[in-house]
Amino acid sequence: QVQLVESGGGLVQAGDSLRLSCAASGRTFGQNYVGWFRQAPGKEREFVAGISRSGGRTYAESVRGRFTISRDNGKNTVDLQMNSLKPTDTAVYYCAATLAIFGLTTPSRYDYWGQGTQLIVSS
């Protein structure tokens, strides 16, 4: 069992930076692939970035070059550094964990989810 808690959301202006953090509990967390997803009002939940237990990273095209995902298995945390934020980044951001090895951009592949943290980017 893995429990996830996100933090760090807020209200920022376009062009600003913000760092989200996902704190995990559960002895198997280090074995999990961890993804960040986001969901804007009226839209489906979408993959943002993911990181494997060995540090391999994947990004959605919409955030590549602006967002960086990192993890510290010793501290059981996964962070998402977001730079050059745009109003289109406005959404509730969720971290999620899975032991799956395929289909990792698909929300249904994830077993554990945090409660989400809201990011609003004003223009």
Side-chain angles (χ1 to χ4, degrees):
Q1 190 78 4
V2 175
Q3 293 81 41
L4 305 170
V5 178
E6 304 94 336
S7 62
L11 172 62
V12 299
Q13 293 187 331
D16 284 353
S17 297
L18 197 68
R19 190 176 186 90
L20 303 182
S21 186
C22 176
S25 60
R27 60 186 180 89
T28 64
F29 177 72
Q31 302 171 27
N32 281 257
Y33 187 94
V34 178
W36 280 97
F37 289 78
R38 66 187 181 188
Q39 188 165 18
K43 295 188 176 182
E44 294 189 353
R45 193 167 298 189
E46 65 174 0
F47 176 83
V48 175
I51 188 166
S52 70
R53 60 182 181 179
S54 61
R57 296 169 173 84
T58 302
Y59 297 96
E61 192 60 37
S62 59
V63 306
R64 193 184 310 275
R66 300 189 297 122
F67 290 13
T68 302
I69 189 171
S70 60
R71 74 186 292 166
D72 185 331
N73 287 334
K75 295 181 179 179
N76 276 7
T77 58
V78 175
D79 290 349
L80 185 68
Q81 176 66 40
M82 305 182 293
N83 299 328
S84 303
L85 283 163
K86 305 175 181 179
T88 51
D89 295 318
T90 295
V92 177
Y93 283 73
Y94 300 88
C95 69
T98 180
L99 290 173
I101 58 174
F102 297 109
L104 297 171
T105 61
T106 303
S108 62
R109 299 291 288 166
Y110 289 76
D111 302 304
Y112 307 105
W113 290 86
Q115 83 289 349
T117 185
Q118 175 77 57
L119 170 65
I120 299 174
V121 183
S122 64
S123 57

